[in-house]
Amino acid sequence: MSMMGELKFFLGLQIEQTSNGIYIHQMKYVKELLKMFKLEDAKEMKTHMHPTTCVRLDEESNKVDNFQYIAMIGLLLYLIMSKPDILFSVELCTRFQQDPRKVHLTAIKGIFIYLIGTSNLGLYFKHKKEFRLIS
């Protein structure tokens, strides 16, 4: 890696290195996801799941495309690497992959809409003078 220069992009992760630390995010990936599902113009949400949302088994709601739902879950699972704030909501929605309903798809889309306003958030690892790897 030293021959290629400073690492800036790796497996969908954007990496910014400074003298104080390393910032890892997936802003470009989020923007691609929003464009893919035509949600880039949606109004942003402040939370990834509305407090009144009840995601549970619902046999009365209309069925949705199983393939699309599973694809959306998979894309969000990859995003969790740099955005652990959505972990619980995504995990909750993964429980309904076998028989997704409209209420479940709405919850997933809510997570995507939350990403509109938080696409710049990621993980920051601050440099320390003393670094010890203990295993």
Side-chain angles (χ1 to χ4, degrees):
M1 279 194 232
S2 61
M3 292 173 47
M4 297 175 66
E6 187 176 303
L7 182 65
K8 294 187 184 272
F9 196 78
F10 183 72
L11 295 175
L13 296 170
Q14 290 170 261
I15 302 164
E16 296 176 23
Q17 299 179 37
T18 65
S19 59
N20 296 328
I22 299 172
Y23 175 55
I24 300 173
H25 60 92
Q26 290 179 289
M27 192 181 314
K28 183 179 177 191
Y29 181 70
V30 168
K31 292 188 187 296
E32 289 173 6
L33 292 180
L34 294 171
K35 189 175 181 180
M36 181 186 307
F37 295 110
K38 298 174 180 65
L39 295 170
E40 67 266 18
D41 295 328
K43 184 180 175 190
E44 72 178 71
M45 288 175 44
K46 299 292 182 192
T47 60
H48 42 88
M49 192 171 282
H50 194 274
T52 61
T53 302
C54 185
V55 182
R56 58 183 167 79
L57 188 60
D58 183 10
E59 295 181 359
E60 296 174 8
S61 184
N62 294 338
K63 289 187 175 192
V64 295
D65 182 20
N66 202 6
F67 180 76
Q68 180 188 13
Y69 186 82
I70 292 172
M72 291 173 103
I73 291 282
L75 295 168
L76 286 173
L77 285 172
Y78 188 71
L79 188 61
I80 286 173
M81 283 189 291
S82 68
K83 294 191 64 61
D85 56 328
I86 64 171
L87 176 64
F88 179 77
S89 298
V90 173
E91 187 277 327
L92 186 64
C93 293
T94 60
R95 299 175 186 181
F96 306 100
Q97 292 181 75
Q98 184 66 30
D99 187 26
R101 302 296 176 133
K102 187 172 182 178
V103 67
H104 306 130
L105 185 62
T106 303
I108 287 287
K109 286 185 178 180
I111 298 170
F112 278 99
I113 293 170
Y114 165 76
L115 294 173
I116 293 171
T118 62
S119 63
N120 62 331
L121 299 179
L123 300 175
Y124 183 72
F125 299 98
K126 190 173 180 179
H127 287 304
K128 291 188 176 183
K129 288 186 179 188
E130 292 183 27
F131 178 75
R132 295 184 315 187
L133 181 61
I134 302 171
S135 61

